[in-house]
Amino acid sequence: MQGKHLGNRLDALLRPEVLGLALYDPGADPDTLLRQYGLGSVIKLSNNENPYGLSPLAAQAMQRRIALGLGRYPDPSGKALCAMLARKHDVAADRVMLGNGSENLLELLCQALLGPGDRVLTQAPGFSLHEIYPRMMGAHVHKVPCTDTFGFAAAAWRQALAGPLKLVFISNPCNPLGTAYSTRELQTIIRCTPPDCLLVIDEAYFEYAIACPGYPDALALLRTHARPWMVLRTFSKAYGLASLRVGYGIASEPGLIEALHRVRTPYNVNLLAQEAACAALEDTPHLEKSVALVTRERARLTQALRDAGLRVAPSMANFLFVDTGTDARQVVQALHRHGVIVKAWAEPGYQTFIRVSLALPADNDAFLRALLHVVAPA
Ligand SMILES: *Cc1c(COP(=O)(O)O)cnc(C)c1O
């Protein structure tokens, strides 16, 4: 054991910020559950993945690349993919940056901007990495709660944004709620965020939300604002490339991108991921099919859960946030025996909530049956 060598001295070696850091919770592992409960199959609804997987064009692009050889380093900044994204979003290519997942960009932003004592603002409930990475750098994280009906708490936001701040992280749609701020609400945040603070809008679920009435186009809103901002998107969710790890950011100015290049590892996005993402971007039918499935299943499952007497936040994403009315960790454990993996929410005030990813109709039905068996609502 490493304890033999360092013992308590390890604690003295580690930065205090690291000692107190929470571990990211990826949810249960399907293979472990298969063995533990002797199950025939497991349905994983805990990571908001695309049940159709990646586009067949992306798979072909990777196969072609494998045939050509993988012995050389990839383009260090993924120029070809950045150029495609710049064209798609009508921005200069020097305002686009790739990450090893958009998580990587969250991390790089924190490394480039934050030091001990800096203040960061995010949402509650919210995405754990919006808190973990700032804390890793020694920053203080403040969270603005949503209203009792999962809505935008305008007064609380205005007040929180008034203080000195370095960074604001919001996900829109929000993970885990699935709800999204409206154009007016987002405009309030943009207007109230101090001009010397970086506003980051994490749009990991953009492709699922964009067809929903009232979902704001953050890029269009921010374009006209002379303030530092960054919009994050990913290939992990609607594009189905979660295993390959590729996300991207669009920034208010090339200087911010340049700063992130200085703190990143030189080849942060591997060659297969770059090739697959380029191909996936062009496969509109695959994306449309994935979004159509989620749109149908989102309405159907929301209604079925509500009919069963459960409270569900109105989602624009590919997951639902459901109040089970009882300790969510116990619900999740009980669902494991039925071969269903969902995520129990751990934040204070939400410990009766689970987040469940939308999947194929048969899997959603299996989840629904198992959940109603476990929680037996009135
Ligand atoms: C899933 C998710 C991400 C992570 O995406 P990757 O590109 O796979 O790193 C980022 N932000 C939010 C809010 C997410 O839900």
Side-chain angles (χ1 to χ4, degrees):
M1 298 276 140
Q2 62 269 59
K4 238 187 198 158
H5 303 290
L6 285 167
N8 291 337
R9 280 173 295 172
L10 182 58
D11 284 4
L13 280 176
L14 295 173
R15 291 193 294 121
E17 291 85 357
V18 176
L19 276 174
L21 216 54
L23 198 64
Y24 177 77
D25 169 23
D29 168 49
D31 291 334
T32 309
L33 286 191
L34 276 177
R35 270 182 274 114
Q36 191 175 348
Y37 297 117
L39 298 161
S41 65
V42 166
I43 305 167
K44 183 168 170 256
L45 305 173
S46 48
N47 295 89
N48 303 340
E49 293 145 340
N50 183 336
Y52 292 135
L54 85 178
S55 126
L57 297 186
Q60 283 165 22
M62 284 193 286
Q63 263 145 14
R64 274 197 306 275
R65 174 50 64 179
I66 290 169
L68 288 171
L70 292 174
R72 295 188 189 277
Y73 285 104
D75 181 284
S77 61
K79 271 194 289 296
L81 179 55
C82 281
M84 286 179 77
L85 292 167
R87 231 175 300 129
K88 179 179 165 73
H89 296 296
D90 191 24
V91 295
D94 61 1
R95 286 172 57 193
V96 181
M97 174 155 178
L98 306 184
N100 192 311
S102 50
E103 289 165 2
N104 183 208
L105 293 165
L106 293 171
E107 179 189 22
L108 296 177
L109 283 165
C110 291
Q111 286 173 349
L113 269 71
L114 300 178
D118 284 334
R119 289 179 75 248
V120 173
L121 197 64
T122 187
Q123 307 144 299
F127 184 49
S128 64
L129 294 180
H130 290 171
E131 178 172 5
I132 292 175
Y133 287 142
R135 288 179 52 132
M136 178 177 82
M137 303 309 300
H140 297 299
V141 179
H142 300 261
K143 300 199 221 175
V144 182
C146 64
T147 66
D148 290 345
T149 51
F150 311 115
F152 179 68
W157 271 103
R158 275 201 206 90
Q159 193 181 5
L161 287 167
L165 283 173
K166 208 63 179 287
L167 196 51
V168 174
F169 276 144
I170 61 171
S171 55
N172 203 47
C174 169
N175 178 1
L177 292 176
T179 59
Y181 300 137
S182 68
T183 300
R184 270 193 62 186
E185 291 161 352
L186 195 57
Q187 269 169 334
T188 301
I189 292 178
I190 295 170
R191 198 165 12 86
C192 297
T193 301
D196 56 353
C197 165
L198 180 69
L199 175 59
V200 178
I201 308 198
D202 182 342
E203 294 184 331
Y205 304 95
F206 173 86
E207 296 80 8
Y208 291 120
I210 189 63
C212 299
Y215 181 71
D217 185 340
L219 264 180
L221 291 179
L222 287 164
R223 251 178 232 279
T224 57
H225 280 264
R227 57 149 308 107
W229 55 262
M230 191 153 192
V231 170
L232 301 180
R233 303 260 180 95
T234 181
F235 286 92
S236 299
K237 304 287 160 62
Y239 285 102
L241 268 57
S243 68
L244 293 164
R245 317 303 305 124
V246 46
Y248 63 99
I250 298 170
S252 51
E253 57 226 76
L256 178 58
I257 300 291
E258 210 229 308
L260 300 184
H261 279 307
R262 275 184 250 153
V263 293
R264 76 174 163 90
T265 181
Y267 304 97
N268 58 336
V269 180
N270 74 71
L271 183 55
L272 290 180
Q274 291 184 26
E275 297 269 347
C278 286
L281 257 191
E282 310 230 275
D283 193 348
T284 310
H286 184 77
L287 183 68
E288 284 175 352
K289 175 178 147 189
S290 307
V291 172
L293 170 78
V294 162
T295 306
R296 273 196 313 273
E297 288 298 291
R298 188 169 58 203
R300 188 177 73 87
L301 202 62
T302 300
Q303 195 54 51
L305 289 162
R306 286 179 180 163
D307 288 347
L310 294 167
R311 204 164 157 240
V312 185
S315 176
M316 293 193 189
N318 67 334
F319 53 83
L320 300 178
F321 198 51
V322 185
D323 190 352
T324 66
T326 178
D327 181 0
R329 281 170 314 177
Q330 284 177 18
V331 172
V332 165
Q333 288 298 321
L335 288 174
H336 286 172
R337 292 165 199 276
H338 291 260
V340 176
I341 305 179
V342 303
K343 201 155 172 175
W345 216 253
E347 279 178 282
Y350 297 94
Q351 285 150 344
T352 60
F353 282 78
I354 56 169
R355 191 197 65 198
V356 56
S357 312
L358 296 161
L360 301 174
D363 289 344
N364 295 335
D365 286 338
F367 155 75
L368 186 64
R369 270 196 309 275
L371 181 70
L372 297 187
H373 189 268
V374 165
V375 301

